Amino acid sequence: MKRRTVIPFGPQHVVFPEPIQFRLILEEERVVDAIPALGYMHRGIEQLATVKDFTKTLYLAERICGICSVMHTLAYAQAIEELMGIEVPPRAKYLRTIWAELGRLQSHLLWMGLAADAIGYESLFMQTWRAREVVLEMIEFTEGSRIMTGSITIGGTKRDLHAESLEFLLHKLEHLEQALNDIYPVFSDDPLIKQRTVGVGLLSKADAIKLGAVGPTARGSGIAEDMRLLGYAAYGELDFQPVVETSCDSYGRMLVRVKECFQSIELIRKAIAKLPPGEVLVKVKGRPEGEVIMRIEQPRGELLYYLKAGGDKSLARWRIRTPTLSNLPPLVHMVKGARLADVPLITLSIDTCIACVER
Amino acid sequence: MSYPAGLGIILATFLLAPVVGGLLTGLERKVIARLQGRVGPPLTQPFYDLVKLWHKRPQAANRIQIVYVYAHLFFMVTSLLAFLLGQDLLLILFIFSFATVALILGGLSVDSPYSRIGSQREIIQLVTYEPILVLLVIAYYQVTGSFMVSQARSLEQPLLFTLPLVLISFLPVFIIKVRKSPFDLATQLHEPHQELVKGIITEYSGPYLALIELASWYELVFLLALVSLFWATNWVGGLLLAAIFFFAVTVIDNITPRVTYSWMVKFVWKVGLGLAVVNVAWLYLWK
Amino acid sequence: MAWVSSARKRSPWLLHYETGGCNGCAIEFVAALTPLYDLERFGMLNTGNPKHADILVVTGCVNARSGRVLRNLYEQMSEPKVVVAVGVCACTGGIFHDGYNLAPGADKVVPVDLYLPNCAARPEAIIDALLTAADLLAETRRRDQHAHQRAPDQQG
């Protein structure tokens, strides 16, 4: 038998800003097995929600994850609205869509940077994050803060966009599109990037279905699955098709994300063009009661909330299933048999968000 | 060579080489930062790093590791010294490999998986570039009829005109030795993004890391001096050649991702070794 | 020696550890390394290796499991070292303060020198905190060992 080495990959590691540990069992430089160890980021959010006031839980939901904070508030607000039978004004729905897409843009750009970093392409990492700052500028201008914005609330949104904000958005979107046009060919055509990504981390369509992959991971394996097609917020009125790649490897997943950036820009433009006038917030009275399941599309895939309330001040149960949790079994499947040098990229290719998984 | 001149060269090697190497490292970091659209650290940054590291509390996993660090530095300085004194090129490259071997042994002496796998990769790198260096010496002997470095100065025309392909094949060797992308497999000194944390140097800290840093400055100067050998007849030409090489490597570092070691071995042996062999064969047939 | 402190001030190498929380501060810390903010112009490098680092940047609230890792990382760093708690979660536990498994602040696990309460901390604020930490680093002349740190000969 060959000599086996065990490498602790994480919890503190440079290619990951987040703590997750993979004990990689190696033969030479090939991974035979990967054992994920979770629990470094557990905060007991689901338990806290049963103690806190349900309106305050909104802020807790925002802090599940700093990268997709908008998505979590959106899902939570929609779930509570469905429980309480609140009809959100149409303008608020469009604003939510715009902010959700901005959130998706910054998340995808962040991922593209980290992926470039994982294969040692520092220059590309810097350029992607420079483009990301443009998105953050838009977020800050329209929502008031870079990460924790608190702009979506139960019953609508807390802020409204004025004509000049919309103009600013359109102007900046053009900047961003130019920057992305420069970055896109590098990701899609650079021979060395292809050499590092094509055929690495294979996940066939059958495996993706069997192991329950969601989001860009599933779409990179040829499954046209996108929760936005459910038509929540204003997505039902914006015509779009999910981006699907059929190469089933890290390269395909990477291209899905890069192309979705362009899709998000288009969606924001459509939403701004169709933005209806009117109020953005309705008053919320009473307490939620009953059960609800809410599914939305995070940058990483399908986010599922299950809420149960008994008419009390706080919720009785709040179950969060995040996309990264669904994507962990496919990840372990992909890592087996990979070279050590490819492990960071494969791990990143599902866009791990450990803060979401462990709550 | 006269006695006082030799003494001068020895002193210059000890005192001037680290200054030049440090400034070049600073320049390289600055250039990379500018290429990435950043301001970048000041030119004298490597010296701050060195002084800071030297005054951190030493921490070593075992004693033998310390011996290997000093050996690494010693062989690196010796190879540069022998080169500047115009000694036997074969011997110099032999000593130079010794420096790398010392670092590998230091990495292997620790029971850390990062350090061990980093060392294994360093061995693969050594195996990859060593044939090219041997071919370089053979080609050098064919042209000058001697192994002595001092012989290159008395040539009628620069080596570059007779050994252009060998110089090109030296480029990947240079990139591997200064640990730049795409061949930064075993470790990187200033860029942290690695699946092996810091690879071979993971377990060194404080003053020992400072010594490795210092050795890397000597190494940079030595490699640039080796490049300038290809235009040794004229010091302006030599400097120019070294400068072109230096910037080429910096730019290549910036526009390439890291490759896997199997690809590196294939590429360097096919292209690098191929070019060098063609050049040597051409010299045989043409002469 | 003045030139040693000056060198320490100009070349603080960073070690970032996200202990929990929401990632917001962690991402903002990475954003501070990128072109718009560029920490490297102050000579700061994100080393990712505790044995090379001078400043430990802690983001996020500390739970039992990550606290152990944090402690481990802190002990692996050589003196002099400074710990910066970035974000309100690392300072006090923040919004998760009442959680059943959390230590209220990173200072319950490692001695924290600087607190940066913000949610999420902006890159500008992080740069400011790190520069202040660099000043602290320059002042420490092989600082007294913290009371609960193990003696050097016991370190593995």
Side-chain angles (χ1 to χ4, degrees), chain A residues 12 14 17-19 37-43 45 47 52 63 65-66 110 126 129 132-133 140 146 148 355, chain C residues 15 18-23 27-28 31 34-37 48 61 63 65-66 69 95-96 100-101 119 122-123:
Chain A
Q12 182 274 328
V14 262
E18 296 173 283
L38 298 171
Y40 292 99
M41 288 181 102
H42 182 61
R43 283 151 284 161
I45 286 183
Q47 187 266 338
K52 289 196 184 225
R63 280 157 184 80
C65 171
L110 180 146
M126 293 292 178
W129 279 64
R132 182 176 174 266
E133 288 298 329
E140 194 173 6
R146 283 165 61 98
M148 294 300 156
Chain C
L15 172 69
E18 160 84 18
T19 47
C22 75
N23 267 338
I27 295 305
E28 291 293 63
T34 54
L36 194 63
Y37 299 101
C61 46
N63 64 22
R65 201 169 164 143
S66 64
V69 181
I95 193 168
F96 310 112
Y100 57 83
N101 64 337
C119 187
R122 293 179 63 88

Side-chain angles (χ1 to χ4, degrees), chain A residues 8 29 117 119 123 130 196, chain B residues 37 114 121 193 254-255 258:
Chain A
E29 281 216 21
D117 199 28
I119 52 175
S123 179
R130 176 197 282 266
R196 283 302 303 272
Chain B
Y114 298 126
R121 288 185 178 183
H193 316 289
N254 216 29
I255 56 168
R258 184 184 317 120

Side-chain angles (χ1 to χ4, degrees), chain B residues 127-132 264-275:
Chain B
V127 173
T128 311
Y129 69 73
E130 207 63 13
I132 294 181
M264 175 189 78
V265 176
K266 267 184 219 150
F267 176 80
V268 175
W269 279 5
K270 265 186 203 154
V271 180
L273 211 55
L275 285 176

Side-chain angles (χ1 to χ4, degrees), chain A residues 66-67 102-103 105-113 125-139 146-147 176 179-180 183, chain C residues 23-24 27-32 34 36-37 123:
Chain A
I67 308 168
L102 281 177
L105 267 176
Q106 68 104 344
S107 173
H108 277 349
L109 281 167
L110 180 146
W111 178 86
M112 283 151 64
F125 162 66
M126 293 292 178
Q127 295 315 318
T128 343
W129 279 64
R130 176 197 282 266
R132 182 176 174 266
E133 288 298 329
V134 179
V135 186
L136 284 174
E137 208 178 332
M138 284 191 261
I139 293 178
R146 283 165 61 98
I147 304 274
L176 181 67
L180 276 173
I183 292 170
Chain C
N23 267 338
I27 295 305
E28 291 293 63
F29 170 76
V30 181
T34 54
L36 194 63
Y37 299 101

